[in-house]
Amino acid sequence: DIQMTQSPSSLSASVGDRVTITCRASQSIGNYLNWYQQKPGKAPKLLIYAASSLQSGVPSRFSGGGSGTDFTLTISSLHPEDFATYYCQQSYSTLPLTFGGGTKVEIK
Amino acid sequence: QLQLQESGPGLVKPSETLSLTCTVSGGSISSSSYYWGWIRQPPGKGLEWIGSISYSGSTYYNPSLKSRLTISVDTSKNQFSLKLSSVTAADTAVYYCASLDSSGYYLLDWGQGTLVTVSS
């Protein structure tokens, strides 16, 4: 299995801050990396696919980067509605698809 | 945008079979643009991919669950289903169904999720 490691596991930030979350794969996955946002009691929502493609309807303050084994999700200016847990997911190997452990973004 | 809705029992006894159905609306389950998948999330924990099925009926199971798992499609009802046998307390989780992009294997649209508790 391809292991996905996210860091940090949690962070505290203020509205307006720039936030970067890192995801590392245990082997090269090209650009087969996707990012999701999950709010409490809700299903995850796709933000970024193929490492850097913004899903339709997602605000442009979200951006993704990286390739190979190291990837980032950046929120350029944190909005109140962005406080949530973020997950990365690799889709290079479909058996199995695997997720990172999550990064919880909390209000400072 | 597709709408997906999970249905099934919220309580299953240990050693029995967990059965869930996902009803898809807003599009055809036979579309070649999508695969269909199940994901679960134990309370307070992260996401685990359970398995997927293609529009042609090909299945892809998480190896950790493969021996207990069956995913199937009913095109006449625009539904797909999950059966997980011999459940234990470790299978207690919120179960989500979702559509997957058939080329990039990312999860596009999700159901709201349903909590399944394994307990006697």
Side-chain angles (χ1 to χ4, degrees):
Chain A
D1 297 8
I2 298 176
Q3 307 302 320
M4 307 301 295
T5 304
Q6 284 182 239
S7 60
S9 56
S10 65
L11 64 90
S12 295
S14 301
V15 172
D17 284 353
R18 180 182 181 90
V19 168
T20 298
I21 298 167
T22 297
C23 181
R24 176 164 290 174
S26 60
Q27 66 182 72
S28 179
I29 59 171
N31 70 337
Y32 287 89
L33 192 284
N34 313 301
W35 290 97
Y36 302 86
Q37 176 194 65
Q38 186 179 34
K39 296 182 179 179
K42 300 294 187 182
K45 171 189 170 183
L46 178 67
L47 298 176
I48 302 282
Y49 63 94
S52 60
S53 295
L54 193 67
Q55 172 65 355
S56 176
V58 174
S60 59
R61 62 181 180 273
F62 291 93
S63 63
S67 66
T69 59
D70 294 312
F71 301 87
T72 57
L73 172 69
T74 298
I75 310 171
S76 60
S77 178
L78 207 57
H79 285 208
E81 61 267 32
D82 300 337
F83 292 95
T85 299
Y86 294 85
Y87 292 94
C88 62
Q89 173 240 332
Q90 66 80 21
S91 50
Y92 178 83
S93 170
T94 57
L95 284 174
L97 298 175
T98 48
F99 293 89
T103 296
K104 186 174 184 178
V105 177
E106 299 177 299
I107 301 173
K108 182 183 284 184
Chain B
Q1 185 176 2
L2 300 174
Q3 292 79 46
L4 296 94
Q5 177 68 58
E6 306 89 352
S7 59
L11 181 64
V12 181
K13 289 182 169 56
S15 80
E16 295 190 344
T17 297
L18 181 161
S19 297
L20 295 174
T21 296
C22 182
T23 301
V24 179
S25 57
S28 172
I29 204 165
S30 300
S31 169
S32 60
S33 299
Y34 304 108
Y35 283 23
W36 308 98
W38 291 96
I39 302 93
R40 70 181 182 180
Q41 185 171 36
K45 296 189 177 180
L47 300 164
E48 180 183 29
W49 175 73
I50 298 171
S52 305
I53 188 165
S54 74
Y55 49 87
S56 62
S58 298
T59 52
Y60 307 84
Y61 294 159
N62 191 322
S64 68
L65 299 169
K66 185 176 181 179
S67 63
R68 302 191 288 132
L69 186 59
T70 303
I71 297 176
S72 59
V73 166
D74 185 337
T75 56
S76 67
K77 296 181 179 178
N78 228 37
Q79 295 176 334
F80 62 104
S81 298
L82 163 75
K83 291 187 187 298
L84 184 66
S85 64
S86 304
V87 297
T88 69
D91 295 309
T92 294
V94 175
Y95 284 75
Y96 296 100
C97 61
S99 62
L100 289 85
D101 179 88
S102 60
S103 56
Y105 303 107
Y106 44 88
L107 297 145
L108 283 161
D109 298 298
W110 297 63
Q112 64 183 23
T114 187
L115 174 63
V116 179
T117 302
V118 178
S119 175
S120 54

